[in-house]
Structure formats: structure tokens, C-alpha cells
Amino acid sequence: MLERRYLKYADWPLVVVALLLSGVGLAVVYSATHNLPGASSPYEYVIRQAVWLGVGLAAMVLATLWDYRVIVAWAPYLLGFSLLLLVAVLVAGPVISGARRWLVIGPVNFQPSELAKVTTVVALAWLLGRRDDWDTFLAIGVALGLAALPTVLVLLEPDLGTSLTFVAIAFVMLYGAGASAWRLGLLAGLGLLALVAAVVVSRLGWVEILKDYQIERLVVFLNPAAAKYGAGWNVIQSMIAIGSGEFFGKGYLAGTQTQLAFLPARHTDFVFSVIGEEGGFLGASLVLFLYFLLLWRLLVIAEQAKDREGRLLALGVFGLVFFHTVVNIGMAVGLLPVTGLPLPFISTGGTNLITMFAGLGLALNVSLRRKKLLFDE
Amino acid sequence: MARAREETRPVRTLFWVAAIVFVVLSLRLWYLQVVRGPHFQELAVSNRLRQLPIPAPRGEILDRHGRPLATIRSSFTASVLPGRFDPTDQDLLQRFGELIHMTPEEILEALRTADGYAYEPIRIKRDLTRAEVISLEEHRDELPGVLVEQEPARTYPKPEGALASHVLGYLGPVTPEQLRQDPTYRPTDLVGQTGLEATYEAFLRGRPGRQALEVNALGRPVQVLGRELPIPGHNLVLTLDARLQAAVEQALHAQVAERAASSRYPDAGGGAAIVMDPRTGEILAMVSEPGFDPERMSGRSRAEYYAALAQDRRLPLLNRVTQATYQPGSAFKPITALAILRSGAATPRTPFYADGYARTGGLVKTDWWVPLGIPSPGTISLTEAITQSINDYFWELGAQAGIEAIAREARAFGFGRSTGIQLHPGDRPGLVPDPAWKAQRFADRPPGDRRWFESETMDVAIGQGFLTVTPLQMAQAFAALANRGAYYRPQLVREIRAPGGEVVQTIEPELAGRVEAPRAWWEAIIDGMEGVVRGPRGTARNAFAGFPREYRVAGKTGSVEVPGKEVHGWFAGFAPADRPEVVVVVFIEHGGGGGSTAAPVARAIFEAYFALQEGRRALP
């Protein structure tokens, strides 16, 4: 019974596009890492990524096994659990490059902030499904208050980029739940203004007020990658990599920026620059198109969902993937500041890959059960 | 149904939002890759983009009052860019070599040290003279791939003339091994190879910056595309007092040089001295003689200087304070005394008649004063035995106490293991011998050689035989005597400070051990040690003649028999006896007995210490 339902009602285009992106990811990761110093073999990173991909697919299937309404009903526990892990990270996580982001459990390094992304989507679907009218500042404030829990905990790690993800998800889902654009826009504008003010103040301090070590801390806080490679340097190298790819690209494994190690973080933050350099405009826009297809399928699932929770779940996953993709690519092409968010399905990193596939699993769950009568066994 | 449609409207809006964002990203890609593509292509492929490191200034090393012992100055280095410099071009090598006064072979040799590193400039010659810099700049267009780097270089201001060479250590080129372990080093970097420069390398080195330059066809920078400033290293605040360090260096050097100049002491030339605060383990001065000039170790004539030092038979690169082990001689007697008291072989008041001879297993040991014609001290107690350094007392009663008791006492005072001082390359443990050790050490010998003999116990009782210690351990043990039991891990660094001045680490005193004993025992021993300095038969009375009594120096001399050579001399002591605030240990190699050679240096050190203390107290 179950199998037939999967074959018939699963959103196969979504799965196929995600697998295509993951395939591109494996190829690009190989190109970016096969001559990385310190690796035990040229395949070390690819193999690890492939293993994570397998785990990610399993997580996707797992997320479809229970009716999403059941999963949404578990929301308080799921969110509570992941908040607990976020607190644990702050207390017991090892400090790596000046931040606590990881929990080390045996051989596995695990980033609880990634799990929190999915559970926050579920929790917001649960909360927003509980009433109809979300178009008041008070109601919006309540929903943002829920999103603020993981936001603040992740901000303390500190990891600004990831913490903003929760805010972005909350805005998308609130909009989907009926909050009006002008209210959300006003709040977003105010928030942005506060952020800009913080940056401007720090830039002023750059010249005179702050001491060296304070500046360093600030830079690390606003921009963790800067501590590792230098703020201006990596963006310049990324733009040179992408630009020099020109229309047709330099060819697979033939990017000089990538292969000669000019490009920093080329298998994580700046993985898109490898695509741009070796694949050119053709390759890069093809990948962009794949992301657009994926996002479009998520919106289709949202539209066809049989109820509010389903629609909100799919929209949350849409927000998750959209925000990551745009912020990462925007950073690589020099339009957005460096925040260190990974490119979904392509950047190395197991926890993020699993998170993304688990998110897709939730969306698939919604699409599988979109016909009311047929699927209640 | 109308409701549902109402709710799907946001979904459609989001679709258009996403579409617009993706169009913007595509346009940006079009702009970068198609409109500006050729420009970026040129930057990437042609010689127009240079990525150059900006070396980080190394952290400073300051004495406890903030006087710089090691700091930085600006310097110029001639480097070449691999891939842009053609080492097969003989003309180029010739021209370049003439300008920096090197032969083409020397340039090629320098290039070889950085084989396999293709992206960092390779330093060919450091510390260019002004004339060399100017001529390189003038001929720049004829020297493709050559660049002049401005970089901060280590310099040692030698406040008050203090070198502190073995404490600071020296910088040397990064080794291939270090490069492999830490790829953030650049070949030809100078890194700390010994001393604090090595121990705190990670703090001192800072992080180099980088700059991206767009250059024209001649290699001249056209514009800076991006720059990451280097982060200076952390600064170390030491426990050393530069002024005291200078005084100790001077006093020790003068004595060692005087002995070495005399034909009576053909093997003299080495020595060690250490001044420590027993209340914290802080080292105020540490000197190993002869020293070296750390600046010359990293300068342009480093190779010649290093070769000269390495060949010097006085071993100037050896830190005798931590790396050399010697027998402590009679300076060990206070520790034996405590072992004797603890074993019950004697109380502080037990009378002992010293006839000058000890017999064991058919062997007769003769005390040092017998051949000199000095009359027997007669019946003495522990205190006098220490003051007059009567071997007889320690032979007989040490043998009664037994080797195990003496070895246990020695270990309680920290002998036989390293002190844990944070100073590369660490300190040696020395040796506290006992029967088990001997059986194992000589396991391949006949049984007779493996057995422990009473005469060997007697040797150890007076600080000879198999027993060896470092001067640093002696300071630690005398700190324990001074404190009546407690001693702290010797430390050289008080604070590590970030470049902005913020203290990132404070090294607190760390209790390293405690010797438990009744007050009366300590006082009996320390009374004897005060007698050494001011008693009528004290072994250091001549050296301390006229020394102000109110400072109450307590100490012990030692003279170590060395077969076929002149004796080593020790003086170890502290002051004031009732409330000790300073421990002084002086050791002089092959320069005569402790009372005549080490004690005068110790006196000079105590004088310098109290003069500085008084001077400081007089300040408002």
C-alpha cells in the first residue's frame, strides 16, 4: 500500500532535482578537494560527502513515514529537544575558531543549530496552525518570539549567519499564514536598520575607538570567515574565480583559482565560485536554474497542500532552502556580506546535508498526503 | 474553498519574489562572467594579480617592570617570487647577486631551502643595507621576480646590558619538519628554536596578513585590491628583573673570566647562576655562562656565528641552569641533614665527635680538613656540621640513616625529576640513585657491580657519587629550605598580553611540593647555614666578610671533586633567613671550591638584589 502511494503521489521532480544538485555537489567537491593539503587521499572529502548523502536520503525517507500532522503535533517536544542541544553546545561544545558550534558525540561532530532549523520549521507550522488571524503586530510578535529562542542561542555561539536563518524562516511562514506584507516589511526594515547601525558604529570604531583585539572579536562575530582568511581577500578571489570562468568555464578540474588554492573555503562557503570558474556562466546558471526548480516544486507542494499545517511546513522548507541558496550565492558573487552559510546539497558538511534532505522529506510528506480521502488508511 | 484560495495567494507572491531574486543573481553572473569576464580572466591568468604575505610583527618580551628584552625593528629583505624568477638565467643571478653581495651559488642554495613551495616569496637575504635596498629599487626593471619586502625583525635592546640569552633563546629558519606540521609557516620564516622564543612561539608569532596587488606588465603595483592586516604576536611579561639579570651576568662573567685567565684553572669557562623568589617560584635572573647574542643568531651572518658557537668547547649554546647536571657536593648537606633527623639517627642536639675519618668495608674516607692541617672541630652538633661542612658527620650518620632515607628526602625536595619549568628544551631530571636504580643500571654487569655499597651511601650523603642535579633544582630545593617546606614550580613568565595590552593569561604560582618537618629541624639546619656565611668557621665567611648582617644570608657551599680536573664550586643560599624573599644559586665549573669561587659571586648578587630593593623602596 505504502509503496504504491509513494510511487503515485510523491513529488518526483523535487527528488530528482535534489539528487541532481547533490550529484553536482559531489563532482564539485571532488574538484575543490582532490588536491587539498592534509587530506589522506584525493577522494577523502567526496567519499565522506557521499556517505552523508546516503544518510541524508535515509533522513528524507524517515521524515515521510509518519503523517506530517503527527509530526507537527510533536513540535513542542522536537523544538524543546533541539533548544536543549543548543544550550548544551554553549556549555559543553569545544571552542573551534573562537565559536562553540559543535557537539562531539563519539566519532561524530554534530551541529545542533542545523537540527534546530528543521524543528523550528515544524514548531512554527504548529504555532501558526493554531489560529487563523496572524495579521496583527501582537500575533507576529508571538511567532517571532518563538523563532527568537533558537536565534538567540545560535547568536551566542556566535554564528550570525545561521541565527538569521531562523528569522528568515519565520518571516516566510508568517507571510504564508496571512500576515500582511507591509507589517512584515516594516519589522524587517527596522531589524535591518538596527543591524546596519551596529555595523556602522563598528566601522567608525575601526579607525579610532576600538583596540586591535576588540576589532578582531567584532569581525569574528559579524563574519566568522574573516578570522580565517581575511575579509576582503576571499571575496576578491571568489569574484575573480567566477568572472574568469567567462561564458563556457575553464573546464572541470581546470579552474586556476580553484586548483592553485587561491580560492579560500572552496569546498564549503565558496563552493559556488568553483562552479562559476570551472562551469562558466553556462554551468552556474544551470545550477541556479536547478535551485529555482527545486524552490518552485516546494511552492507547488505548498499550494496543493490539503491543510494549513501542510502548507506552512512546505513554505518553511522553501524559506530554509531559499535563504541558504541566496545568501551563499550572493556572497560568492560579491552582492551580500560573508556569513558562512553553506550552499544546500553542494557544500561539504554532513549535518547541513541531512537537514536539507530532512526538510525535503517533510515537504514530500505533505505532498504524499495531499488527497484527503485516499490516504487515511 | 475561497479561504483556501486566499491562503494560496502568498504562495504565488513568494514564487515571484524567488523568480526576481534569481533573475538578479543571473544578471550578476552575466555581469561578472560575460561583461567583466575578460578582465577577471586577465587578473586570474596573467601576471597581474599578486598575492603577497605581510609578515606579522613578533610579540615583545618584557621584564617584570616592562623593560623590553626582545622587541622588533624594521628591516628589508630581498626575496624572489617562485615562478616569476628564472633561476636558470645566469645573467639575472649575476646581476641580482652583485646588488646584494652574494654569489649566484649562494642564491641558488637559498632557493633550494624552499623547494616545493610555489606561492610564497622566498627570502634570499635579510637585513639589507640601505645602499642595497636603493640599488635593488633602481634596477628593479632588470630583475623580474625579485622583490624587496619590508618586514619587522627581532631585536634585543639589552636593557642595562642584560642579554638573558638562554632565557630568551634564539630564532632560526623554520625547519622542514615544522613546515610540515604547520603549513601556516612560510619557508624561510624565522621561528623560535630554543628558550622562551620557542616555548611561546605560538603566542609570539602573530598571524601574517596578505595583500592582493594588481601589477602592471613590469611588475609594479598598480592598485591594492585587498588587504588583510597582519595581527601582531602576543607579548610576554617575564618574571626576570632586567637590572638584576644584568648584575648577575656581569658578576658571573667576571668571575668565570678571571678563573679562565688563570693557568691554575685550565678547564674553567663555564658557570650558572639563578635568582628566585621562593614565595612564588618566580625566577628573577637566570644566567648560563658563557652566553651568546641572540640577535646575531638571527642576523645576516647567522651561519658563521652559529658555527663559531657550536665549535666553542665552553658550550655557549648549552643552558647550564636547566640542561647540565652536576653533583651538588656539600651544598646537598642540608637535605642529608633532614634525612638524618627524620631517620632518627640523630636529633639536632646529638653530639658527634669528628675525628676526620670514616671507615666502611675496609675503606677509609678522610675528611677534607685533615690534609689541610686544620685541627679537629671536636664534638659538634648538626648545626656546626653544616656550618663547617664536616663530611665525617654526614658520612657516619648518613650511613646510619641509609640510602633509602636520603633518596626519599632528595625526591621530596624535587631532585630526580624535572621541575616543569616552561622553557624550551625543558630541564633535565638529574639522578637520585638508590640500590634498585643501581641494580637496574648495571644489570649487565657481574653481581658485585650491581650491589649497593655503604661507601656509596656516604658519597651521596655529601652530594657526590651517582647523585646529579641541575642548578635549577638546587634553587628549587633551597626555596623549599627557605620556605620551611613548600616550594613552587619555577616560572619565567608572569603574563601573556594581547597586542592591545589585554592580559590573556596570567601564570599563577603553582605549589610543586612540600617537605614536612618539625620547626626545630628547619631552624637547626638554617642556623647552620647562617653560620656558613657569618660564623667564625663558616666556609663562606671570607666571601661575605663585611656583608651587612641585617640581611641574614643563609647558605651552603659545595666543592665537587672531578677526577683529573679542578673542582666545581657551588654556593646556594637565601635571605633573609627568618623571612626569605630571595634564593641565590651560583655554580662555577672547574674554577675552585665553592667558598672561594661561587660564594663571592653570590655575595655580589645579594648586594645587587638588596640595592635594587632599597632603591625601589626609596622611590615615591
Side-chain angles (χ1 to χ4, degrees):
Chain A
M1 277 316 284
L2 201 68
E3 289 81 358
R4 197 182 306 159
R5 184 205 299 174
Y6 271 73
L7 286 175
K8 195 166 172 193
Y9 294 102
D11 194 302
W12 287 108
L14 181 80
V15 177
V16 169
V17 171
L19 286 174
L20 278 175
L21 281 171
S22 304
V24 170
L26 288 178
V28 174
V29 164
Y30 176 74
S31 175
T33 60
H34 70 100
N35 57 5
L36 208 63
S40 60
S41 98
Y43 300 101
E44 183 183 335
Y45 285 83
V46 188
I47 290 172
R48 205 182 308 154
Q49 186 75 351
V51 170
W52 286 124
L53 180 58
V55 180
L57 290 172
M60 178 172 77
V61 173
L62 197 71
T64 62
L65 293 184
W66 297 273
D67 190 311
Y68 63 86
R69 282 162 298 187
V70 177
I71 295 177
V72 167
W74 294 338
Y77 305 102
L78 291 171
L79 184 69
F81 178 66
S82 45
L83 292 179
L84 215 62
L85 287 179
L86 285 175
V87 172
V89 166
L90 291 178
V91 176
V95 178
I96 299 169
S97 312
R100 295 178 194 276
R101 296 177 182 171
W102 301 85
L103 275 184
V104 181
I105 304 158
V108 180
N109 290 347
F110 167 74
Q111 236 177 329
S113 59
E114 291 293 339
L115 175 68
K117 287 172 184 170
V118 179
T119 54
T120 304
V121 168
V122 177
L124 280 169
W126 170 78
L127 178 75
L128 297 175
R130 291 173 74 85
R131 68 177 261 166
D132 280 343
D133 182 16
W134 287 91
D135 196 23
T136 65
F137 280 116
L138 182 69
I140 292 171
V142 169
L144 287 180
L146 185 136
L149 297 173
T151 307
V152 169
L153 287 173
V154 172
L155 203 56
L156 288 175
E157 290 183 358
D159 186 347
L160 183 69
T162 302
S163 70
L164 285 178
T165 310
F166 300 108
V167 180
I169 291 170
F171 270 83
V172 170
M173 292 179 75
L174 269 165
Y175 184 62
S180 57
W182 74 267
R183 283 201 165 87
L184 292 172
L186 188 70
L187 286 172
L190 286 174
L192 210 62
L193 213 64
L195 199 69
V196 167
V199 172
V200 165
V201 165
S202 67
R203 289 282 162 174
L204 284 176
W206 195 282
V207 186
E208 284 160 351
I209 305 166
L210 294 176
K211 292 195 159 69
D212 284 355
Y213 64 92
Q214 290 169 316
I215 290 171
E216 194 186 350
R217 282 185 189 163
L218 202 67
V219 171
V220 172
F221 179 72
L222 288 173
N223 174 7
K228 244 176 164 173
Y229 304 103
W233 179 255
N234 45 15
V235 175
I236 289 166
Q237 291 301 344
S238 169
M239 281 164 60
I240 291 173
I242 293 172
S244 66
E246 299 190 272
F247 192 83
F248 291 105
K250 296 178 189 170
Y252 187 55
L253 303 184
T256 52
Q257 290 286 108
T258 304
Q259 305 306 331
L260 299 184
F262 281 104
L263 191 62
R266 55 190 181 275
H267 56 98
T268 53
D269 297 0
F270 287 98
V271 76
F272 188 77
S273 320
V274 179
I275 298 171
E277 182 180 29
E278 300 194 340
F281 179 75
L282 214 58
S285 40
L286 191 70
V287 169
L288 270 188
F289 182 66
L290 287 176
Y291 278 112
F292 188 71
L293 281 183
L294 187 85
L295 292 167
W296 169 61
R297 287 317 301 174
L298 288 170
L299 288 177
V300 168
I301 292 172
E303 188 169 29
Q304 294 177 346
K306 71 176 168 216
D307 55 21
R308 239 180 125 80
E309 277 99 344
R311 175 164 21 261
L312 289 167
L313 266 184
L315 280 180
V317 175
F318 164 86
L320 178 70
V321 178
F322 185 57
F323 187 73
H324 274 77
T325 308
V326 170
V327 169
N328 181 282
I329 295 178
M331 165 181 84
V333 298
L335 286 179
L336 291 173
V338 178
T339 40
L341 281 188
L343 187 62
F345 307 106
I346 294 187
S347 290
T348 55
T351 330
N352 184 256
L353 199 60
I354 296 169
T355 303
M356 289 299 160
F357 273 110
L360 291 191
L362 286 178
L364 281 177
N365 194 335
V366 173
S367 83
L368 282 172
R369 296 182 171 84
R370 66 179 180 268
K371 297 279 161 65
K372 268 176 196 157
L373 299 173
L374 290 177
F375 300 110
D376 293 321
E377 284 125 304
Chain B
M1 213 54 211
R3 246 212 90 72
R5 181 149 315 145
E6 185 65 23
E7 284 214 349
T8 56
R9 218 168 61 190
V11 177
R12 290 172 188 215
T13 316
L14 284 171
F15 174 84
W16 289 112
V17 169
I20 291 165
V21 168
F22 273 75
V23 166
V24 168
L25 288 178
S26 307
L27 287 175
R28 175 71 176 176
L29 282 177
W30 180 264
Y31 171 76
L32 288 179
Q33 301 190 287
V34 180
V35 180
R36 300 274 288 160
H39 166 74
F40 283 118
Q41 175 70 11
E42 207 177 315
L43 281 182
V45 173
S46 78
N47 291 347
R48 292 208 157 197
L49 188 79
R50 300 257 167 103
Q51 171 191 356
L52 293 181
I54 312 174
R58 203 171 168 81
E60 295 192 314
I61 304 179
L62 311 167
D63 90 338
R64 65 191 295 121
H65 301 297
R67 292 185 200 92
L69 290 160
T71 174
I72 47 162
R73 64 184 161 82
S74 144
S75 79
F76 292 95
T77 301
S79 301
V80 303
L81 284 167
R84 307 208 200 283
F85 181 85
D86 180 5
T88 61
D89 182 344
Q90 285 303 321
D91 271 3
L92 174 62
L93 286 175
Q94 197 67 39
R95 270 195 313 265
F96 183 32
E98 273 167 26
L99 294 174
I100 59 171
H101 306 102
M102 283 173 82
T103 65
E105 292 72 41
E106 285 171 330
I107 295 173
L108 289 174
E109 180 59 39
L111 277 170
R112 258 193 295 282
T113 61
D115 264 355
Y117 291 86
Y119 302 104
E120 304 272 31
I122 300 165
R123 297 180 183 90
I124 302 298
K125 186 170 196 183
R126 294 176 180 280
D127 272 333
L128 297 176
T129 63
R130 187 169 290 268
E132 284 168 343
V133 174
I134 291 169
S135 54
L136 279 177
E137 290 294 334
E138 276 172 355
H139 294 87
R140 198 173 170 146
D141 296 350
E142 303 153 33
L143 299 168
V146 171
L147 78 154
V148 175
E149 289 184 85
Q150 188 181 2
E151 58 180 332
R154 200 38 134 195
T155 183
Y156 301 86
K158 306 178 185 65
E160 321 280 332
L163 279 173
S165 36
H166 295 94
V167 175
L168 299 177
Y170 57 82
L171 304 181
V174 61
T175 63
E177 181 59 28
Q178 287 165 326
L179 265 178
R180 246 195 314 281
Q181 282 171 4
D182 188 341
T184 63
Y185 282 117
R186 154 188 171 195
T188 69
D189 266 352
L190 289 177
V191 305
Q193 297 294 5
T194 66
L196 294 175
E197 295 272 31
T199 311
Y200 292 93
E201 169 69 18
F203 284 101
L204 288 167
R205 61 183 285 211
R207 194 167 57 218
R210 285 170 181 279
Q211 52 187 338
L213 301 173
E214 193 183 334
V215 295
N216 64 16
L218 287 173
R220 299 259 184 185
V222 178
Q223 60 167 321
V224 178
L225 293 175
R227 176 177 281 165
E228 177 197 356
L229 292 176
I231 296 170
H234 285 53
N235 299 332
L236 301 184
V237 179
L238 305 192
T239 59
L240 293 190
D241 181 326
R243 285 197 280 184
L244 187 63
Q245 174 80 17
V248 175
E249 282 177 17
Q250 224 162 23
L252 184 68
H253 177 76
Q255 180 75 317
V256 168
E258 190 210 303
R259 296 281 150 153
S262 154
S263 58
R264 247 197 87 189
Y265 305 104
D267 297 304
I274 175 163
V275 183
M276 184 194 262
D277 185 336
R279 298 164 297 186
T280 56
E282 289 186 336
I283 293 169
L284 304 175
M286 179 193 277
V287 183
S288 178
E289 173 72 20
F292 56 88
D293 184 345
E295 187 141 14
R296 293 180 64 189
M297 290 297 283
S298 57
R300 57 192 284 166
S301 55
R302 160 177 206 283
E304 293 87 337
Y305 187 57
Y306 185 84
L309 291 176
Q311 278 160 26
D312 192 330
R313 64 178 184 82
R314 299 174 304 158
L315 307 177
L317 293 176
L318 174 74
N319 185 354
R320 287 172 163 79
V321 175
T322 57
Q323 285 285 296
T325 58
Y326 310 92
Q327 289 136 323
S330 299
F332 186 71
K333 282 173 182 165
I335 289 95
T336 308
L338 206 58
I340 288 170
L341 295 174
R342 204 185 296 283
S343 73
T347 70
R349 290 159 173 249
T350 305
F352 178 88
Y353 181 76
D355 63 1
Y357 301 94
R359 291 156 198 86
T360 170
L363 210 73
V364 179
K365 288 176 181 276
T366 310
D367 210 342
W368 62 273
W369 42 270
V370 176
L372 295 179
I374 299 173
S376 160
T379 301
I380 54 168
S381 71
L382 178 94
T383 301
E384 283 117 33
I386 289 174
T387 294
Q388 302 177 37
S389 203
I390 303 301
N391 287 345
D392 203 351
Y393 182 96
F394 293 96
W395 281 332
E396 303 273 1
L397 295 173
Q400 278 183 41
I403 183 62
E404 302 287 2
I406 298 173
R408 213 177 303 124
E409 204 69 44
R411 291 194 190 103
F413 275 88
F415 292 110
R417 62 181 144 90
S418 64
T419 62
I421 189 172
Q422 294 292 302
L423 181 67
H424 189 83
D427 63 332
R428 296 186 55 188
L431 175 67
V432 175
D434 59 20
W437 166 81
K438 193 182 177 194
Q440 203 191 348
R441 172 70 180 75
F442 297 105
D444 52 346
R445 303 278 195 83
D449 287 0
R450 286 181 243 155
R451 231 189 82 205
W452 184 270
F453 295 99
E454 191 175 52
S455 70
E456 290 168 333
T457 305
M458 291 182 171
D459 289 340
V460 173
I462 61 161
Q464 306 254 133
F466 295 118
L467 178 70
T468 60
V469 304
T470 63
L472 182 64
Q473 285 174 329
M474 286 299 274
Q476 181 173 268
F478 273 68
L481 287 166
N483 291 336
R484 278 77 167 164
Y487 57 95
Y488 295 84
R489 167 146 104 159
Q491 71 182 66
L492 282 163
V493 178
R494 287 188 119 178
E495 280 174 4
I496 300 172
R497 290 189 186 162
E502 182 203 23
V503 176
V504 296
Q505 197 180 328
T506 305
I507 292 102
E508 300 289 345
E510 186 186 324
L511 194 67
R514 185 186 292 279
V515 184
E516 300 292 349
R519 189 88 192 167
W521 295 1
W522 292 116
E523 298 313 325
I525 291 167
I526 290 166
D527 279 354
M529 289 168 61
E530 268 199 277
V532 166
V533 172
R534 61 182 188 191
R537 295 191 70 165
T539 53
R541 69 185 180 284
N542 290 333
F544 280 87
F547 188 80
R549 289 194 153 228
E550 67 266 27
Y551 293 136
R552 296 197 57 187
V553 174
K556 185 72 197 80
T557 57
S559 305
V560 181
E561 310 279 349
V562 187
K565 291 187 176 171
E566 265 300 321
V567 300
H568 297 317
W570 282 99
F571 181 89
F574 51 84
D578 55 340
R579 193 179 292 169
E581 58 180 65
V582 62
V583 167
V584 173
V585 172
V586 177
F587 173 80
I588 290 174
E589 265 177 29
H590 304 300
S596 65
T597 169
V601 177
R603 174 191 175 143
I605 295 172
F606 277 116
E607 278 170 353
Y609 173 82
F610 285 111
L612 285 172
Q613 286 301 102
E614 241 114 86
R616 203 156 291 131
R617 233 166 267 151
L619 291 175

